[in-house]
Amino acid sequence: MARRHQALRTPRAAGLVGIIFALLLGACIILVRLTLPGDPGDGSGDWFSDASRRRMVQTALGLVPFAGIFFLWFMGAVRARIGDAEDKFVATVFLGSGLLFVATLFGAAAAAGSLLASAGVSGAGSEPQLQSFGQHFTYGLLSTYSMRMAAVFTLSTSSIGHQLGVFPRWLSLLGYLVALTLLFVTDSIAWSELVFPLWALVVSLHILVAGLRRPSASASSS
């Protein structure tokens, strides 16, 4: 009985963790978009000499590790919601894309941190080639590779949820739309990366509400 009660509590607790991940990742994206130039090739490097903007980037970089940790818990929340009937092929894509998302997100944060550190040592504006390389590398990891892996994760999660019927139809359709946005739009439209934490927030809220309803249904049936 205690084991069953623990199984019922796990999705609720992990749903709360998913909400925290969505808020952290959304805050990171907002801080980066408000601070860094929208196009790393536009030659705008004045943010290096602005102490307040540099602190905003450092704050975002400090939140990234916690966002990655909570994302791993979010993956566990989704798997707990899906159960043991998941398709092994799609589940492998689900796990692989999620882990690669965290890896590329950490890589982009490390690149941005190295860029800030090198600018502080050599002096702002003294190494324009280094700044250009660092900005292109950071944006490439974040907007191209990290968001593509987020798209695959969203697509595989929505597919599993739709096949097994654990997600409502509207939530699966929302996931497909978010995946298409992350695959084809993030390179051309600024702020479009926010659709991923918004989707994660919606999924986490669904898991949380479903976890709250399940014990009530079990109590009424008994």
Side-chain angles (χ1 to χ4, degrees):
M1 184 68 180
R3 184 176 180 180
R4 181 182 178 183
H5 180 65
Q6 180 65 27
L8 293 176
R9 289 180 56 190
T10 299
R12 299 203 304 268
L16 290 174
V17 173
I19 294 174
I20 298 175
F21 154 72
L23 296 177
L24 286 175
L25 183 61
C28 292
I29 294 175
I30 291 173
L31 287 173
V32 170
R33 279 296 182 183
L34 288 175
T35 307
L36 301 184
D39 182 6
D42 63 0
S44 175
D46 58 345
W47 66 276
F48 281 103
S49 58
D50 190 331
S52 62
R53 296 174 69 183
R54 286 168 61 103
R55 283 194 296 269
M56 289 178 65
V57 175
Q58 291 171 347
T59 300
L61 297 181
L63 294 177
V64 167
F66 297 99
I69 293 171
F70 282 113
F71 178 76
L72 296 178
W73 282 90
F74 173 68
M75 291 176 61
V78 174
R79 294 202 71 188
R81 177 64 179 152
I82 291 172
D84 299 329
E86 61 183 3
D87 180 83
K88 294 186 181 301
F89 174 78
V90 182
T92 302
V93 178
F94 165 85
L95 290 174
S97 59
L99 294 176
L100 284 174
F101 166 75
V102 174
T104 51
L105 183 66
F106 283 3
S114 300
L115 184 61
L116 282 176
S118 63
V121 172
S122 60
S126 61
E127 297 289 345
Q129 292 183 345
L130 177 62
Q131 293 178 14
S132 178
F133 170 79
Q135 288 181 207
H136 278 90
F137 185 70
T138 301
Y139 266 91
L141 281 177
L142 181 62
S143 64
T144 301
Y145 297 98
S146 181
M147 289 299 106
R148 296 306 189 276
M149 289 300 98
V152 177
F153 175 82
T154 304
L155 183 62
S156 59
T157 303
S158 301
S159 298
I160 295 175
H162 176 69
Q163 292 174 3
L164 300 182
V166 295
F167 285 174
R169 181 179 178 85
W170 66 266
L171 186 55
S172 298
L173 293 176
L174 176 63
Y176 297 146
L177 181 60
V178 169
L180 291 175
T181 301
L182 295 173
L183 280 173
F184 301 110
V185 176
T186 52
D187 287 337
S188 56
I189 299 179
W191 300 93
S192 58
E193 303 94 344
L194 284 173
V195 297
F196 182 57
L198 288 176
W199 170 82
L201 179 62
V202 173
V203 172
S204 299
L205 289 173
H206 170 74
I207 293 173
L208 181 62
V209 172
L212 292 174
R213 288 177 177 174
R214 193 182 304 172
S216 300
S218 300
S220 61
S221 61
S222 61

